[in-house]
Amino acid sequence: MAELPVSFIQVTDIARVTPHMARVTFEADRLDAAVGTSPDQQVKLCFPLPGQDRPVLPEESDDATSWYYAFLAIPEDERPTMRSFTVRRRHPGSDALEIDFVLHGETGPATRWAGSARVGDQLGMVGPSAVYSRPVSLTDSIASSDWLLLAGDETALPAVGTLLEALPEGARAVAYLEVADAAERQSFETAGDVTVHWLHRDGAAAGQSEVLVDAVREATFLPGRPFAWLAGESGTVRSLRRHLVNERKLDKRAIDFSGYWRFKLTQDDAPTTEDMAEAQERLAEAGQE
């Protein structure tokens, strides 16, 4: 069983990337050597409950399953809320890292925390680990394709940033990125040959707009074989993937997809039938590699 690194991280700086995206810099009590070494690297953040200075967590374990059972054994009135995030950047030669938070009101524990976070606040961090997030091999993806297709909403921007910034010189990529409006656009440094299409909901609620799916459906693709990376609201990601497989005839193995969130549902809600089907398909594809 894979190891599951566990650490506590403390806020050292908070900056606004856009009106609704906060970049929080943390200093960790210690960071696993793997943190920040690859793009699209996911971790679990644990948020303290009201009245707690920092979350209550089990000690680190070499057995990820045992650690998670110990986590679930924490009394409900003490157990922290856990959510998935992407490491945006690790500061070289240090135990400092940056994580971006989408600010969308009082709709969940993570955005509530980020909206009121202060220097000195502490969270728990679990991972990175292949137990819950298969790392993206950008080198293999580029080698097996002619260009990269990236599609996602604002929750995918931290991962998109790491992917674009990791591209080798001249690698071709096209990104379709859905955000609320023009003020939410970001800039990314990259050595690749990248075209970014910013798509604005302009008043439509996140998860209810078809702008991203419509843009990909109507797009004229570059010649050659693409490798597709899709992330964001689960229903949107499923629609994009069905389009790429059924209409664009992409091999399923040439698509990396992840539903980061679900419209009107949280990570604490029970998985839907579609969620379970998606999880089973991801496991089946992983077993074929």
Side-chain angles (χ1 to χ4, degrees):
M1 178 62 68
E3 294 183 5
L4 196 62
V6 179
S7 58
F8 287 98
I9 56 178
Q10 180 170 292
V11 177
T12 60
D13 187 57
I14 305 169
R16 286 293 179 94
V17 180
T18 68
H20 292 96
M21 182 77 79
R23 179 161 296 162
V24 182
T25 302
F26 295 94
E27 184 78 24
D29 55 6
R30 59 187 176 81
L31 277 186
D32 186 89
V35 175
T37 58
S38 61
D40 189 21
Q41 193 173 69
Q42 294 185 28
V43 295
K44 301 284 189 182
L45 296 185
C46 299
F47 297 85
L49 299 183
Q52 296 176 335
D53 291 330
R54 73 178 190 175
V56 176
L57 291 176
E59 294 293 328
E60 182 174 287
S61 172
D62 290 341
D63 185 339
T65 301
S66 296
W67 185 92
Y68 190 63
Y69 279 127
F71 174 82
L72 294 177
I74 298 172
E76 189 172 349
D77 60 354
E78 298 180 14
R79 189 189 313 138
T81 302
M82 183 183 288
R83 293 290 185 267
S84 300
F85 283 83
T86 301
V87 175
R88 182 62 183 85
R89 184 179 294 109
R90 180 173 183 170
H91 293 202
S94 75
D95 284 338
L97 72 159
E98 297 172 359
I99 295 178
D100 289 355
F101 292 77
V102 178
L103 305 177
H104 44 77
E106 296 291 312
T107 57
T111 192
R112 284 197 297 269
W113 178 88
S116 61
R118 298 290 183 270
V119 171
D121 288 351
Q122 294 188 68
L123 300 179
M125 188 175 79
V126 184
S129 173
V131 170
Y132 55 75
S133 177
R134 182 179 58 181
V136 174
S137 175
L138 197 58
T139 301
D140 291 346
S141 301
I142 292 172
S144 62
S145 63
D146 297 300
W147 59 283
L148 298 181
L149 170 67
L150 308 176
D153 58 26
E154 53 264 72
T155 63
L157 294 186
V160 168
T162 65
L163 289 162
L164 293 181
E165 291 165 5
L167 286 177
E169 185 173 359
R172 293 191 300 172
V174 179
Y176 292 87
L177 305 176
E178 175 192 321
V179 293
D181 51 44
E184 295 304 313
R185 295 186 179 195
Q186 298 184 25
S187 59
F188 307 108
E189 296 183 2
T190 179
D193 178 5
V194 176
T195 301
V196 178
H197 299 277
W198 290 101
L199 312 169
H200 305 153
R201 288 191 298 273
D202 289 329
Q208 291 187 299
S209 171
E210 293 291 323
V211 63
L212 179 58
V213 175
D214 288 346
V216 174
R217 282 175 175 159
E218 296 167 6
T220 299
F221 279 8
L222 295 176
R225 298 171 302 161
F227 180 90
W229 181 96
L230 316 172
E233 197 279 323
S234 291
T236 299
V237 169
R238 281 192 287 267
S239 294
L240 287 168
R241 184 168 178 264
R242 282 195 293 266
H243 165 69
L244 294 176
V245 172
N246 296 333
E247 299 172 40
R248 302 281 187 168
K249 306 304 180 184
L250 264 67
D251 189 317
K252 291 181 179 180
R253 292 169 295 183
I255 304 174
D256 187 280
F257 65 102
S258 184
Y260 283 171
W261 63 285
R262 300 178 292 169
F263 183 62
K264 292 186 177 181
L265 296 172
T266 74
Q267 291 184 19
D268 299 320
D269 292 312
T272 65
T273 302
E274 286 185 316
D275 293 330
M276 294 301 294
E278 177 182 303
Q280 290 295 328
E281 190 159 4
R282 288 178 67 90
L283 288 172
E285 290 178 10
Q288 293 173 4
E289 296 179 353

